Structure formats: C-alpha cells, structure tokens
C-alpha cells in the first residue's frame, strides 16, 4: 500500500540506523511514515549482486581506491557532502579556521571523526561493536562530580538493550559480557536472568588468545587502587552461530549470503557479504510493512513551527535530481509527529538552521567523541595479524572505577589487522622496504613473512566529558552547493581526557614490557591529533562516535530533550541518535543509541494515540 | 610472447616468487602492458638485457653486479622497484620527474604520464603478492571462512568448525 498524501503520521529525517528502527517500529503498527534521506539511495545496489550496478560496484570502488578510508566504497555527493578522514588537518595557528573538506574547524584541536550521508548511514562502514554502557556511566555527576547524569538509569534501559541486541543480531555470551569474571565491581553489568544474546560469541582471534594467556593475573595501580587487566570477547553486530531458533538476517535481498562472518577482514569500510549488520536490513523490513516510504536525495533544511501549538508544522526539504547538478525542487511535508534521525551533527545543524528546540541554548553543544590513541609494536612471535574481523576482543577492566573523579576511563580495543590503522600496513609500508631498505627477491618476501604476522596494535577509546564549548554551529559564510549550512566545529581535548590518554599509555607500556612487545609507537608533532599532557606528547584519532549535540536531561533549561526523547520546546518533535546521549563513557555508542531509539519509537506510538 | 617471458623471468628475480607462482596470479600480462605504457621500450629492453647478463642471483658476486648495474642505476633502478611494487601492491607509482624527463615514454605530452599513483585493477589488488607473503588473504577478498582467525596463522590448518 502506498500513501499518496503529503501528510503523514510521522516524518522521519534520516535513513540511518535510528531512522530505520523508528520507521520499522511505526510501520509495523500501521502508521504512515515518510523517511527523508539527504544522501542517495542504493539504487538497488545492495540488493543486487551484479558487478556493474550491484553491490560489487561498491567493492570495485573499494578495491581500486588508493586511500582505503571508511567512505572509500561510497560515492561522493556534493549535494549531501560528508566529512572524510583525509580532510582532517590541525587547525592552523596563523589562520582562524581550517575549512578543508566539509567541516569548518576552528579548533583549537581538530575534530577527527566522520560519518556517511547515504541511505543506511554510517552503519555502511561501522565496525559492529555492540557494548552496553555501565550502570555508573549513567550517573557520572552524582558518583564522580563529573559530566552529567542521565535522566534514565541502566536498569530502565536494560530491556531496550535486549530488544536492540536481538534486532541487530549481536553475537556474544551474556555470562562473559556481564564482566563478573573481572575483579573490578565498577565494570560489572547486571543482565536479566536467563537472558542471552541471539548468537554465540564470535571466535576470538589467535592474537586475543595469546594476549589472554600472557596477561593472566596482570594488575595495574591507579591512585592506590589495584585494577585487573582482563581480555574479554567483544559483542559484535556480525553474524555468528545462532542460538536456538534464531536466524540472522542475511545479505539484504539475498538471504543466501551473509549468514556467517566469513573472515573477509574488511568490516570497515565494507563487508563484501553483508554478514555484518547495516541499517539497510532494517530499512528493508520497514519497507515490507507497506506503510513506509523512503524518499532519498531529499535534504531537510528547515522546520516550520506553528505559533499557537509550538508544534513542528512542516518539514521543508530540497529534492535534487542527481549528484551531478545542484538543481533541486523545493518541497514541504507534514507529519503529526516529526522525528529527527539525521546524525548528531546534521540534527544539530537542522535545529540551529530552523531556530527550534533551542530554548536551553544546548543545541549543538557538548559534542563528544572517543579520542582514540593507538599504540603498536612487534610481538615476539607470529600472532597471525591481518585476519578476521577488525577486533574480536578488548580489555574492558578500566572502563570504570574510582579514578573517574580525576581522569577519563578508557576501553582497550585489540586490533586484528596489524599496523593497518597506525601505519597503513601493508600497502603504505611495503614501498619503504623496497625504496629505503633496498629489499627485493627472497629477502623481501622473507622480511614480510617474518615481520608482518607479528604486527600488533591497541586502540584506547578514551572518555570525553560534555563540554558546552565543544560545539557545532552554523555560519552564513559557509554553505554547500545546495545552499545548506556546513557544520562549523569548535573542539578541544581537555586535561581530563589527556590524563586518561597518559594513563592508557602507561598501561600499554606495562603490557608491552610484560609480553616482550618491541614498541614502534610514534607520536609526531605533525600529526593532526597531537596533544601534550604534563610535558609528554600523545596523538588521538577520531572514533566516528559523535555524541551529545542535543542531549537529554531532567531539566528543560539545560537539556534539549526529555527522557522520552521529545523536545522540551515542541510537543510533536522527537530527536533520536547519539546526539541524545548526555555522556559518551567508554562503549561504542551505536547499541545504546539503538536501544534508546526502540524506546523513543514506543513513546512516539503512545503519543500518536492522542491524535 | 618473447617479452612476456622476459618480464616473468625478471619479475621472479625481483619478487622472490617462482615464475609459475607469478603466472598463477593471472595478472602478469596486465603488469607487462602497464610497464610498456609508462616506460620507454628501449629502457625495458635494457633492463631485460642487463638482467639476462647477470643471470641467477645465487651468489654474492652476482648480487653485487645486480645492485651495481640495476638497483643503483639511475636509469634502471626506479623501473625495477616499480615492477616489485606492482607485483606486491598492484599499484603503479609515478616515477620521479627527473627520471621521466630522461627515460619516460617518447611522447612527452602531459597525458603520457600518470597524474597520480593508481591501483591497476580490482583483480590486481586481489592478486597482490603482499597478502600471500604475510600469510593471509587480501582484505575484502579470498575469504578464509568462519572462525579461521582463531587458528595460529602459520599452520596449514584449514576451516574447521569443531
């Protein structure tokens, strides 16, 4: 059934994971939903395995791309531009601004994360990590005097976590993920009795097993407290072995593919067989309800407000015809309820451009990410680098603890792909073996065979606090070719986070020493993310975890949405996505965002009953 | 296919792979054509001839001759190194500007030189020798199967779910 009118029960802006979940939940209850997506659709590509137009065309783009960055397989679109990691520079000291790429950056530190503007959103290239937040993450202010408290607790979110895990199809074991085995009560997670994930945990890499053995019994000291160092499998939105009757969603449109992760070692930027969850799977389920229409190439740019009710009366958008031209048609649509699901930065931009939902002056503020510090080295023996999913385990022991009063917590990710992140290995490093070391023939082959399987790296996802000065704003000077605002970003990494980075480096050094890892970590002053703390230099990277630009709270004067994720200012406006999260803590935010979105969808359904 | 066989013989010496292994990749002729596209034929012939004269690199003396007459030659060295990079990484890197001025293809018009480094083809990426050399598979292709990453990397163990 197609809905032909120009007014809908619900208009959703954004066809990423949050918009997709919202659309599916509402469509299944018979609500008429329109999803506006700024980027292009897949033109059926993800449903068709053909080479010219099908999914393989994305693989072709990836294979032949010189820079295999997260957005490499996905065509660039000047009508819905997106940030690229190759655009990131240190904001220059001699100029007020760095506007290389889509973001306009004022610094003083560069904001290093990116996202994808396309149907499916950033789940097209996410890693699939599906960690829950800790109970104490929801109470940072009352427990540690830092950041903010959430208006909801872990216990309240727990049932929604379960729904999100079942929907995404997370592979993990609950009796491992409750961290009961870690001797640090701060990180232990209560799971509902008898609950388990839909699929068994993905096998841990040989490297994980090697580390687990080598680090057994290891402890570190922070502020006179002793903390353990434990290697634990990471829950992943990637198909493993199903429990019971559960059957994972296969590749979109082709259930024969994507039933199990096959070890393509390419989760970011693109899984060739779609064995990793992407929002396209949820969008397909939403479409199958017959109640959901997705309009792509439709960039929402203004929300009109009814002066009497304060409701959002219209969503104005520009519908462009192709990515080759800036020509567009100006359109508007009405929904009883409007949901913004356009990603933390784009949601904030649209709210600011429309001057709505901002009575608290918090829209765009409190932008957070996980500044991610890497350390890398050579293991004393071959640990089989460059195989399997990007990361299958981590060290979560320092995700929480009393030290959070003074410094950031962090999660340690164990990378399975050697030095690919810090050094671009092997593609970027082999030329040096030839040009600088003069290797060729059997000596070259031998060097690669002996050294590359020993390559090892950690990633430290360091907590960042909500800071009102870290913000997305808009400026009339900076617009894209459709005349829409580009995000203008002010960002800095404070001492709280820097102290966490320093602590993380100390932990890394202790682990390297214990295992006999030959260190190769180098933090160059020329790196865009170079920062100093107490006289020592560190480098952070972006994690792609953009959080906090329209956060939820108990008080309308200092938050943008309430616990229902409804705007304090506009009764029919709901915001979803990581922008709602008041703190980022140490878990990758997608699972929490998905759980919150299932909750928000329930709230929207209840609200629709009143219309 | 006299020149292709020369190309394989030289490539085997440069890469450390047997000729039969190189032929098995299926991309040797594409690399041979790529070489001819960007390097003057007389330079390529000189490289083959020099390599032929040195012969097998099985002793210190022949290796010293190789370094002296090919690797450290301003004319032949950059070409030899580009051939290795093609095989390992499937990328054609631009040759240095001063080299190009002397030994690039005869036509010096701008479109006769690549404006940037490029991946030769998607199949070439998949056949890159570096993945085999490091004991794995090209990222995004030749998938080894569920759970294989849990096995030690340098054993011959294959896909086994038990």
């Amino acid at each position: 059934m197609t809905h032909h009118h120009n007014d809908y029960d619900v208009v959703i802006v954004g066809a990423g994971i949050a918009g997709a979940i919202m659309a599916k939940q509402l469509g299944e209850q018979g609500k008429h939903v329109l999803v506006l997506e700024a980027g292009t659709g897949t033109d059926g590509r993800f449903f068709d395995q053909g080479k010219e137009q099908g999914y393989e065309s994305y693989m072709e783009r990836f294979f032949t791309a010189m820079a295999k960055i997260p957005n490499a397989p996905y065509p660039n679109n000047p009508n819905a531009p997106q940030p690229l990691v190759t655009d990131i520079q240190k904001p220059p000291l001699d100029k007020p601004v760095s506007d290389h790429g889509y973001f306009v950056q004022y610094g003083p530190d560069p904001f290093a994360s990116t996202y994808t503007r396309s149907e499916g959103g950033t789940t097209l290239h996410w890693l699939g990590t599906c960690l829950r937040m800790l109970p104490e993450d929801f109470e940072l202010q009352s427990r540690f005097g830092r950041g903010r408290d959430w208006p909801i607790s872990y216990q309240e979110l727990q049932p929604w976590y379960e729904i999100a895990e079942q929907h995404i199809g997370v592979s993990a074991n609950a009796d491992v993920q409750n961290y009961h085995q870690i001797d640090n009560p701060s990180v232990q997670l209560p799971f509902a009795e008898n609950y388990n994930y839909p699929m068994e945990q993905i096998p841990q890499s040989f490297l994980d097993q090697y580390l687990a053995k080598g680090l057994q019994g290891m402890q570190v000291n922070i502020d006179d407290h002793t903390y353990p160092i434990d290697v634990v499998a990471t829950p992943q939105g990637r198909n493993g072995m199903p429990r019971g009757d559960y059957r994972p969603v296969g590749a979109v449109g082709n259930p024969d593919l994507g039933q199990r992760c096959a070890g393509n070692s390419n989760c970011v930027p693109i899984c060739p067989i779609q064995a990793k969850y992407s929002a396209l799977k949820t969008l397909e389920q939403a479409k199958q309800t017959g109640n959901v229409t997705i309009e792509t190439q439709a960039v929402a740019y203004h929300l009109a407000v009814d002066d009497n009710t304060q409701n959002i009366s219209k969503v104005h958008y520009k519908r462009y015809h192709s990515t080759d031209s800036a020509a567009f048609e100006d359109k508007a649509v009405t929904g009883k309820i409007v949901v913004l699901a356009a990603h933390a930065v784009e949601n904030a931009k649209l709210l600011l451009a429309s001057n709505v939902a901002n009575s608290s002056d918090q829209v765009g503020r409190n932008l957070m990410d996980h500044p991610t510090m890497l350390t890398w080295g050579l293991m004393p023996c071959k640990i089989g680098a460059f195989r399997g999913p990007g990361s299958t385990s981590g060290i979560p022991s320092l995700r929480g603890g009393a030290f959070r009063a003074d410094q950031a917590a962090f999660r340690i990710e164990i990378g399975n792909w050697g030095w690919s992140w810090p050094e671009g290995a092997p593609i970027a490093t082999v030329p040096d073996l030839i040009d600088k070391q003069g290797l060729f023939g059997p000596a070259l082959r031998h060097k690669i065979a002996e050294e590359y399987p020993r390559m090892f790296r950690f990633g430290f996802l360091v907590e960042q606090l909500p800071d009102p000065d870290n913000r997305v704003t808009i400026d009339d000077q900076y617009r894209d070719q459709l005349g829409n605002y580009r995000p203008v970003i002010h960002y800095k990494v404070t001492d709280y986070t820097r102290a966490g980075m320093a602590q993380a480096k100390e932990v890394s050094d202790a682990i390297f020493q214990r295992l006999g890892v030959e260190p190769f970590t180098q933090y160059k002053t020329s790196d865009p993310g170079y920062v100093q703390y107490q006289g020592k230099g560190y480098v952070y990277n972006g994690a792609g975890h953009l959080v906090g630009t329209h956060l939820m709270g108990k008080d309308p004067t200092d938050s943008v949405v309430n616990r229902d994720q409804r705007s304090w200012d506009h009764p029919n406006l709901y915001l979803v996505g990581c922008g709602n999260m008041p703190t980022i803590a140490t878990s990758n935010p997608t699972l929490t965002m998905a759980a919150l979105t299932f909750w928000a969808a329930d709230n929207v359904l209840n609200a629709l009953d009143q219309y | 296919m006299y020149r292709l066989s020369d190309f394989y013989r030289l490539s085997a010496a440069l890469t450390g792979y047997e000729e039969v292994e190189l032929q098995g990749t299926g991309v040797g002729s594409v690399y041979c054509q790529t070489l001819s596209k960007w390097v003057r034929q007389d330079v390529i012939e000189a490289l083959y001839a020099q390599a032929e004269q040195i012969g097998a690199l099985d002793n210190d003396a022949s290796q010293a001759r190789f370094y002296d007459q090919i690797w450290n030659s301003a004319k032949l060295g950059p070409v030899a190194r580009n051939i290795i990079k093609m095989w390992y990484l499937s990328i054609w890197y631009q040759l240095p500007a001063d080299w190009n001025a002397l030994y690039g293809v005869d036509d010096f018009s701008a479109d006769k030189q690549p404006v940037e480094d490029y991946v030769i083809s998607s199949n070439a990426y998949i056949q890159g020798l570096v993945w085999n050399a490091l004991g794995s598979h090209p990222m995004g292709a030749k998938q080894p199967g569920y759970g294989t990453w849990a096995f030690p990397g340098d054993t011959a163990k294959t896909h086994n779910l038990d």
Side-chain angles (χ1 to χ4, degrees), chain A residues 60 63-64 66 68 203-206 209 240 261-265 272 386-387 417 434-435 438 440-441 444-445 449 453, chain B residues 13-14 16-17 21 66-67 71 81 84-85 88 117 122 125 133-134 136-137 139-140 143-146 148-151 153:
Chain A
E60 288 278 309
F63 287 141
T64 55
M66 275 299 289
K68 291 185 165 41
Q204 292 175 276
S205 68
F206 181 72
Q209 300 167 45
C261 171
N264 273 289
S265 310
F386 300 97
R387 295 184 305 150
W417 299 341
I434 301 160
D435 295 330
F440 71 95
L444 175 64
R445 188 176 176 177
Chain B
L14 290 172
Y17 278 77
E21 292 176 295
F66 176 86
Y67 271 107
W71 200 258
R81 289 187 282 277
I84 302 174
K85 291 174 202 167
Y88 272 83
D117 307 339
S122 55
Y125 165 83
L134 60 76
S136 189
H137 65 101
M139 297 174 93
Q143 55 193 30
Y146 183 71
T148 47
W149 51 89
F151 306 147

Side-chain angles (χ1 to χ4, degrees), chain A residues 479-495:
Chain A
R479 299 206 183 229
D480 67 22
Q481 72 170 28
L482 282 193
N484 295 319
Y485 288 106
R486 289 167 57 196
V488 177
I489 295 183
H490 292 78
Y491 184 74
K492 65 176 181 291
V493 176
T494 63
D495 275 355

